[in-house]
Every structure is written in C-alpha cells, then in structure tokens.
C-alpha cells in the first residue's frame, strides 16, 4: 500500500485541540495517532488469536466430550498463580 492516507481526525479542529491537550513532553499529535493505531492493530491481532484459541478449544471439547467447568478452570489458574507467587518470594 503506497498511498498516503491522512486521517480525517487531523481535519477536526476540536479533536486536534483535545489531542494536543493530552500530549506528553516532546510528543506530537502524529506520534499519538501513530502509537494509537499500532496499539489498535496489535489489540485486534491478539483478539483474533484469542477467538481462534477459544473456537479450537470448543472443537476439541466437542470432539472428545471432555468439558471443564469455570470453577475447575479458576481453581487451576489460582494454583498456578499461587505457585508463581511462591517462586518469586523465595
């Protein structure tokens, strides 16, 4: 994609002023928009991967007939968390 695209928010004076009001030292509106766009792309990628893992898990449960309750999953996660906390406190 070689076409340069100017985000419409740059033409919105109210948005531009709001964006400028929250900038950090040395940051530009373009920096803010660039970082925000990159974060959104990463979020959507991770969301798609999460959904794919969930669907694969559902297919596996349907195939095998093995299901786990929320309580079982939470207990396993709590145990992992406690184990890790114990490792870090040593």
């Amino acid at each position: 994609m070689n076409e340069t695209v100017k985000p419409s928010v740059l033409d919105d004076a109210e948005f531009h002023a709001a964006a400028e009001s929250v900038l950090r030292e040395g940051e530009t509106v373009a920096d803010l928009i660039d970082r925000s766009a990159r974060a959104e792309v990463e979020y959507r990628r991770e969301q798609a991967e999460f959904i794919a893992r969930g669907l694969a898990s559902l297919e596996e449960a349907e195939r095998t007939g093995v299901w786990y309750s929320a309580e079982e999953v939470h207990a396993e996660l709590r145990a992992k968390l406690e184990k890790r906390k114990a490792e870090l406190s040593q």
Side-chain angles (χ1 to χ4, degrees), residues 13-81:
E14 187 176 331
F15 173 82
H16 201 274
E20 285 181 331
S21 74
V22 299
L23 294 177
R24 296 184 178 129
E25 177 102 17
E27 185 178 42
T28 66
V29 172
D31 294 336
L32 176 64
I33 291 170
D34 179 70
R35 196 167 29 264
S36 297
R38 291 176 188 279
E40 182 66 18
V41 167
E42 183 60 24
Y43 172 79
R44 291 181 185 195
R45 184 178 296 133
E46 289 174 4
Q47 185 179 44
E49 291 170 2
F50 176 81
I51 291 168
R53 286 192 309 272
L55 292 173
S57 179
L58 173 61
E59 288 176 11
E60 178 71 6
E62 289 174 339
R63 185 182 66 75
T64 64
V66 177
W67 298 82
Y68 298 96
S69 70
E71 292 80 16
E72 290 172 304
V73 173
H74 291 165
E76 184 176 336
L77 291 173
R78 270 192 298 278
K80 286 182 179 183
L81 179 61

